Amino acid sequence: MDELAEKLIWTRSSCAFENEPSEDPEKHIPYSSRHLVACMQEGARRFGWNARNPKPGQVRDGRWLVGIGMAAATRGNPLLLSKANVGWIPTVPVPCEWR
């Protein structure tokens, strides 16, 4: 990805921003809220992303190549119907907890 960004004269973050979807790719409806790009931009600003050497393979620590990067991921949270069966015996207390 770094090599592609260098050849296109893009930063790696701008590659990610160009591919940011505006709608759900399966449902084809706009997101109600989406703040990934703003979050990545703020992180890059705080990290000093623009001050780094953007050319791949240029930063070393002894024999080791040192790289910095960014990534994002999602965690699915499918909502499913739920149900419960409750039995009650009048002489046995049933604990209830509300949150």
Side-chain angles (χ1 to χ4, degrees):
M1 187 70 153
D2 290 334
E3 288 80 2
L4 173 65
E6 181 190 17
K7 294 215 183 304
L8 295 173
I9 314 172
W10 276 359
T11 65
R12 187 164 185 186
S13 58
S14 66
C15 288
F17 301 158
E18 290 289 325
N19 291 299
E20 175 68 3
S22 60
E23 66 177 28
D24 183 295
E26 294 174 353
K27 297 177 184 173
H28 302 291
I29 56 174
Y31 292 112
S32 60
S33 64
R34 185 127 170 129
H35 305 286
L36 179 61
V37 169
C39 179
M40 292 171 95
Q41 289 171 329
E42 178 63 14
R45 184 189 68 77
R46 290 184 186 195
F47 188 81
W49 186 260
N50 290 336
R52 83 199 188 297
N53 185 344
K55 190 167 182 173
Q58 300 303 301
V59 180
R60 292 185 173 271
D61 181 5
R63 294 180 21 204
W64 294 89
L65 286 173
V66 177
I68 59 172
M70 61 179 203
T74 62
R75 180 184 71 84
N77 188 26
L79 300 177
L80 305 173
L81 295 176
S82 62
K83 71 178 188 178
N85 295 319
V86 178
W88 180 59
I89 301 171
T91 58
V92 178
V94 178
C96 294
E97 188 176 307
W98 299 93
R99 295 180 191 215

